Amino acid sequence: MDSTGAERLLNVVDVEATCWDRGQPPGAVSEIIEIGLTVVDLASAERLARHRILVRPARSTVSEFCTELTGLTQHEVDGGVGFAEACRLLAAEHHAGSRPWASWGDYDRNQFTRQCRNTRTPYPFGRHHTNAKAAFTEAYGLRKRPGMAQALEIAGLRLEGRHHRGEDDAWNIAALVLHLSERDAWPDATAAAANRLVGGADGTG
């Protein structure tokens, strides 16, 4: 089922990055320190798997503010992989280049784009990205785009795990994606419905 060509599968991604409450220290840059990824099967309306990649920052450290926000410590991320290796893992193990992906807003996509450019690391994702926050806002006819926690409340879903932890946030965003898909409000809802009808009978999804 978890094949690179299965259009029914979607990667939901959420990242945490080094951050500060009073501006960046001299010479420091905001860097990804955690990548949360949940695999969603739009056809069967399931969250199939959850993954977490810890990333070791090279040009910044984890501030007290960042630890309070995410729960991540410098000691924890020191045991992670380098950013280039994290991108390689996304491509090799999670089919990031061929599988559609989604995030809550454009921050995650922009952070990857910026960090890949600055470190000359090949961008791991394909072009098919969906801004789940925009899709949710449109589906509910909201005037202002909500944060993930507020969206869960609006949808009548509970927050699972810790907010601002990449692995948990990706899991919760995936629940919102499925919620929108069930309402036929996800951009790929038509394709997902078609897949449900055929049941993936040809083995390709």
Side-chain angles (χ1 to χ4, degrees), residues 20-42:
W20 304 268
D21 57 345
R22 297 182 181 178
Q24 296 177 191
V29 296
S30 181
E31 299 175 276
I32 293 171
I33 52 177
E34 181 192 16
I35 303 167
L37 187 152
T38 293
V39 181
V40 171
D41 187 330
L42 291 168

Side-chain angles (χ1 to χ4, degrees), residues 28-120:
V29 296
S30 181
E31 299 175 276
I32 293 171
I33 52 177
E34 181 192 16
I35 303 167
L37 187 152
T38 293
V39 181
V40 171
D41 187 330
L42 291 168
S44 64
E46 294 178 281
R47 291 176 289 184
L48 297 181
R50 56 190 295 167
H51 304 280
R52 182 190 194 206
I53 302 174
L54 286 178
V55 185
R56 183 176 62 253
R59 297 181 57 191
S60 62
T61 57
V62 179
S63 65
E64 290 185 10
F65 171 79
C66 190
T67 296
E68 291 175 3
L69 183 68
T70 67
L72 294 166
T73 65
Q74 183 67 45
H75 176 73
E76 190 173 7
V77 300
D78 279 344
V81 299
F83 177 69
E85 174 63 11
C87 289
R88 190 196 68 78
L89 289 172
L90 285 170
E93 297 186 7
H94 303 292
H95 315 301
S98 58
R99 188 177 293 167
W101 69 293
S103 60
W104 195 256
D106 285 324
Y107 166 79
D108 307 81
R109 180 174 59 84
N110 291 336
Q111 177 67 30
F112 265 106
T113 300
R114 180 169 53 250
Q115 194 163 339
C116 283
R117 181 180 63 245
N118 291 343
T119 60
R120 298 183 179 180

Side-chain angles (χ1 to χ4, degrees), residues 75-187:
H75 176 73
E76 190 173 7
V77 300
D78 279 344
V81 299
F83 177 69
E85 174 63 11
C87 289
R88 190 196 68 78
L89 289 172
L90 285 170
E93 297 186 7
H94 303 292
H95 315 301
S98 58
R99 188 177 293 167
W101 69 293
S103 60
W104 195 256
D106 285 324
Y107 166 79
D108 307 81
R109 180 174 59 84
N110 291 336
Q111 177 67 30
F112 265 106
T113 300
R114 180 169 53 250
Q115 194 163 339
C116 283
R117 181 180 63 245
N118 291 343
T119 60
R120 298 183 179 180
T121 300
Y123 185 70
F125 297 102
R127 295 181 179 180
H128 190 168
H129 171 265
T130 301
N131 181 332
K133 181 189 287 190
F136 186 92
T137 303
E138 181 177 352
Y140 275 89
L142 304 175
R143 297 179 63 183
K144 184 178 180 181
R145 292 183 178 183
M148 184 202 72
Q150 183 184 359
L152 289 169
E153 291 182 9
I154 293 171
L157 301 172
R158 68 182 183 89
L159 175 68
E160 299 181 61
R162 174 178 181 145
H163 194 13
H164 299 303
R165 176 62 67 95
E167 181 183 12
D168 292 337
D169 281 357
W171 185 254
N172 285 299
I173 295 166
L176 288 166
V177 168
L178 290 176
H179 172 75
L180 292 176
S181 182
E182 289 168 4
R183 292 167 55 99
D184 291 329
W186 185 248

